[in-house]
Amino acid sequence: MSGLVAQRITFSQALVKTSRWWPVALIAMFVAAAIFAPLIAPYDPNAQNLVGRLKPPGTVSRTFHYWLGSDELGRDVLSRIIYGARISLTVAFASVILSGAVGVCLGMMAGYRRGWVEMVIMRVVDVFLSIPAILLAIITVAVLGPSLLNVILVLVLTRWPRYARVAYGQTLAVANMPYVRLSAFMGASATRVLLRHVLPNIIGAITVVATLEFGLMVLFEAGLSFLGLGVQPPTASWGAILSVGRNYLANAWWIATLPGACLFLLVLAINLIGDFVRDYLDPRIH
């Protein structure tokens, strides 16, 4: 009986380890496809073949072999999905890094300085958090105009308050530690105290927020592109492909289904990694 229990425990541990690694492998595959898109994609994502429009997966038309089918202009869906990964990951990486940098700096400053600095920064955070993020993003992009750079700026503008809120709460807890107060008493500047003593202690919580925000950034970019407010045609984007594919669901399901599946798998893998990072950094679990 004890041997059977031990085997079950060993199997469950192996299953847990496997479940932790496949999201990493999946994200690595998407990242590699985005980086090496010109080498991997079989065709130019914007190359048209009107004779081969709306062909199902596996069809050959002229010089095109449509492994995942073609769209309404005869463009290869596989090539457009591969190049679309570039847009989604570029926007996600840039927006997470920039919004994280802005939010963490302001949050730490509010938690350490206190007083009127805290009041001003945190009231601004409250205002931004009270507005639906997707609504604010749509309004801002509509005003600035749709483009890749504007999408990144809009996501940074709408998502930095979440980092600021977490950094503020964590800084309040760390700022009263004896070694932090002693460092300030010995004459260390606020910048040195924040970078040397506060930031290393709150980076774990910020990392958890960043991993979860990464998936949201992918979804926000796809949503804006779906509404025509993201990158503009003919640039390939998963959201833009979904927007076109919804008009052909009856007779060309692959146009919307396949990039939608890629979007689902990428966000799922990111969220699973975020859960693992949260559990790993939570001292109550160990």
Side-chain angles (χ1 to χ4, degrees):
M1 180 63 70
S2 60
L4 180 60
V5 172
Q7 288 180 355
R8 288 180 178 178
I9 294 176
T10 304
F11 176 75
S12 62
Q13 291 176 346
L15 187 61
V16 169
K17 291 181 179 180
T18 303
S19 64
R20 291 176 178 177
W21 281 110
W22 77 260
V24 177
L26 188 60
I27 293 177
M29 182 184 69
F30 280 114
V31 172
I35 295 175
F36 302 105
L39 302 177
I40 298 175
Y43 307 105
D44 185 332
N46 299 321
Q48 301 181 12
N49 175 27
L50 296 179
V51 177
R53 61 188 302 270
L54 302 179
K55 295 296 183 181
T59 303
V60 178
S61 176
R62 290 185 174 177
T63 58
F64 289 84
H65 192 152
Y66 298 118
W67 295 101
L68 297 182
S70 63
D71 63 6
E72 79 285 2
L73 297 177
R75 296 172 297 191
D76 181 47
V77 172
L78 174 59
S79 299
R80 292 185 64 77
I81 289 176
I82 292 174
Y83 274 88
R86 275 189 161 186
I87 299 298
S88 296
L89 293 175
T90 298
V91 170
F93 273 115
S95 58
V96 165
I97 292 174
L98 293 177
S99 61
V102 173
V104 170
C105 289
L106 292 178
M108 288 195 305
M109 188 182 303
Y112 184 74
R113 287 291 190 182
R114 307 298 296 272
W116 67 268
V117 175
E118 174 190 17
M119 183 181 66
V120 171
I121 293 177
M122 298 316 296
R123 294 300 77 78
V124 172
V125 169
D126 292 338
V127 170
F128 273 91
L129 291 178
S130 66
I131 304 174
I134 189 64
L135 178 60
L136 181 60
I138 292 174
I139 294 174
T140 309
V141 172
V143 172
L144 297 178
S147 69
L148 179 62
L149 179 59
N150 287 343
V151 169
I152 296 175
L153 292 177
V154 164
L155 294 179
V156 172
L157 177 65
T158 57
R159 302 310 297 178
W160 71 266
R162 186 172 183 186
Y163 294 94
R165 174 71 73 182
V166 174
Y168 168 73
Q170 295 290 319
T171 302
L172 286 178
V174 176
N176 291 322
M177 293 293 182
Y179 63 90
V180 176
R181 299 176 63 181
L182 178 61
S183 178
F185 180 76
M186 296 295 292
S189 63
T191 302
R192 180 179 178 84
V193 172
L194 291 176
L195 294 180
R196 292 292 300 273
H197 302 295
V198 177
L199 183 59
N201 285 280
I202 71 172
I203 195 65
I206 300 301
T207 302
V208 173
V209 175
T211 54
L212 298 177
E213 282 287 301
F214 192 92
L216 288 176
M217 296 301 99
V218 174
L219 289 177
F220 278 155
E221 185 280 325
L224 292 174
S225 297
F226 182 85
L227 297 174
L229 298 175
V231 294
Q232 295 301 290
T235 303
S237 169
W238 287 351
I241 299 174
L242 284 169
S243 180
V244 172
R246 63 177 175 171
N247 300 319
Y248 301 95
L249 286 175
N251 57 347
W253 56 267
W254 53 88
I255 300 178
T257 302
L258 297 178
C262 291
L263 186 63
F264 165 76
L265 291 174
L266 177 60
V267 175
L268 175 62
I270 293 171
N271 287 337
L272 290 175
I273 291 178
D275 290 340
F276 167 71
V277 172
R278 180 196 60 199
D279 295 342
Y280 180 78
L281 296 177
D282 191 346
R284 293 171 298 180
I285 298 179
H286 303 285

